[in-house]
Amino acid sequence: MTGTSVWIGFLMLGVTIVSHIFLVSLVLGLAFMAPLLEYFSHRWKDGEFEDLAKNALKYLAVSELAAGVWATWFTVALAGFWPQLAFIATTVLFYPLVIGITGVLIGITFMSIYWYTWGVVSRSLHLLLGVVMAVGAVLVPVGFNMIFAFMDDPVGLKRGLAGNGWAVFGNPLYPDFTVHRISAAISMAAMVFASVYAIKAYRKREKRYERASEFGLYVGLPALLVASITGAIYAFLLAKYSPYIASAVLGPLSFSSLATFFDLYPEFVGFMAVVIGIWAFAIFNALHRRFDKAKEVSSVALLILSLIGVPYGEVLNDLPRYPYMVVQGTGGVEAAQLINHWMFIPTSFAYAALIVGAVLMAIFSYMLYLVFGAKQPGGQRANHPERSVSQNLSASPAPGSR
């Protein structure tokens, strides 16, 4: 019998998942932003946008490092507390895991190649390397999202155990949920990018920061629209295929009287307020062209809400399944059946691990503040035309540009 309660084991896994998803989302969004910024720097012959692309890549490297640490933490928590769940993940979900790990390998490898070939190879080849890096980052949720879709609706379990590993791809939650996570990640990174540079534009009074902020909104708003639409669709899919989770989160909106362990409807209302707030402040920043005090306040609010949105949504996706670990319709496989019963894990160890995790996340948050906020990105560059993003979007490429 284990010395660790089921709830502590569940909480331990949940904290690692939420932290890892937050960091991976930041990595995915920045991996998308960096080559996009480089593309427009070449199209508009604007060296300052190239500086922004390089700094986005620096932020990406810092986030990737922290995400890797939490991936290791997640693996240890899964193997230590939930070995039977780890067995299912590495057998039934073997193909999705291969896709996700392949994405990690491609992303990290081409992130290094992309950085060290900057200015060494041709522009088109370098952009291609950046696109491959971004594709690798996208493959990570394409693969690993199947784990979460499976835990909400274990489609293909029997056929997977019988040797048909592709059966899990018939999960009706998986396609929409994957698109939702990818678009939410891009939106979060772009909104953080736009907010940070809007704050810098107000405080430093430099045109390049204004243009960077505008560009972030051009990327973030369409991604936010896709994330909002797919999120609404996902709620309807949960009500149909995983009514237990839908009842716990959506409450009266799920049109179900099913009893659940948690009533997270108030938290869901709070999450919707966060999403509405992101929309409101992003639209305000897009329409309010002056970088004044009002825009600085709006940008600070947008920055905070954007950083909160992804982990908040992940909590609402993972917590409502308790006391089940794998939900099947109105019931499921209880977490107590999958907890590690073979090894004694003291409760004090679990609490210590949670404290260490919280300290590490606080350190990373401060490091992220130093990289994004305190350190000035790029050097001062002369001889770059001060052109706004809106002007650049309507301008044709200069003669002879590549």
Side-chain angles (χ1 to χ4, degrees), residues 310-329:
V310 167
Y312 196 159
E314 189 57 37
V315 170
L316 288 179
N317 185 62
D318 296 331
L319 185 59
R321 68 170 56 95
Y322 194 80
Y324 305 107
M325 183 58 78
V326 179
V327 175
Q328 293 176 293

Side-chain angles (χ1 to χ4, degrees), residues 117-287:
T117 56
W118 211 305
V120 177
V121 299
S122 67
R123 288 178 177 177
S124 16
L125 176 57
H126 192 254
L127 278 171
L128 179 61
L129 294 173
V131 169
V132 175
M133 175 188 70
V135 169
V138 169
L139 285 177
V140 175
V142 167
F144 292 138
N145 263 16
M146 182 61 77
I147 298 175
F148 301 95
F150 181 87
M151 292 173 72
D152 289 347
D153 186 21
V155 171
L157 175 59
K158 292 182 179 179
R159 285 182 290 170
L161 290 173
N164 182 5
W166 296 106
V168 294
F169 286 94
N171 192 310
L173 300 176
Y174 171 71
D176 176 81
F177 187 40
T178 301
V179 175
H180 174 69
R181 271 216 169 129
I182 293 171
S183 56
I186 294 173
S187 174
M188 180 184 77
M191 292 301 182
V192 168
F193 188 89
S195 302
V196 167
Y197 283 111
I199 296 168
K200 282 179 173 290
Y202 172 71
R203 295 179 180 177
K204 303 288 186 179
R205 303 296 181 181
E206 293 189 28
K207 202 74 174 179
R208 57 181 174 148
Y209 296 150
E210 295 181 14
R211 293 172 19 234
S213 177
E214 292 171 359
F215 185 83
L217 291 175
Y218 274 107
V219 176
L221 281 169
L224 181 60
L225 178 62
V226 174
S228 299
I229 293 173
T230 52
I233 294 173
Y234 185 61
F236 284 108
L237 291 174
L238 281 178
K240 181 177 181 180
Y241 296 105
S242 191
Y244 181 86
I245 292 179
S247 297
V249 177
L250 302 177
L253 298 180
S254 67
F255 300 103
S256 171
S257 57
L258 185 65
T260 58
F261 189 88
F262 286 113
D263 176 14
L264 299 176
Y265 179 66
E267 287 74 17
F268 172 73
V269 173
F271 175 70
M272 293 308 300
V274 169
V275 174
I276 293 171
I278 293 173
W279 270 111
F281 291 117
I283 291 174
F284 175 84
N285 280 11
L287 297 178

Side-chain angles (χ1 to χ4, degrees), residues 37-57:
L37 283 162
E38 186 192 4
Y39 167 75
F40 282 107
S41 76
H42 295 329
R43 180 179 176 182
W44 299 333
K45 299 185 73 66
D46 190 334
E48 290 182 354
F49 261 59
E50 187 171 2
D51 286 342
L52 293 173
K54 289 179 180 179
N55 280 282
L57 191 58

Side-chain angles (χ1 to χ4, degrees), residues 36-98:
L36 193 62
L37 283 162
E38 186 192 4
Y39 167 75
F40 282 107
S41 76
H42 295 329
R43 180 179 176 182
W44 299 333
K45 299 185 73 66
D46 190 334
E48 290 182 354
F49 261 59
E50 187 171 2
D51 286 342
L52 293 173
K54 289 179 180 179
N55 280 282
L57 191 58
K58 292 177 185 178
Y59 305 153
L60 168 61
V62 173
S63 303
E64 182 73 72
L65 175 64
V69 172
W70 278 98
T72 304
W73 198 286
F74 168 75
T75 303
V76 172
L78 184 64
F81 287 87
W82 310 99
Q84 296 181 72
L85 191 61
F87 169 77
I88 294 174
T90 53
T91 52
V92 178
L93 302 176
F94 178 75
Y95 292 137
L97 286 182
V98 169

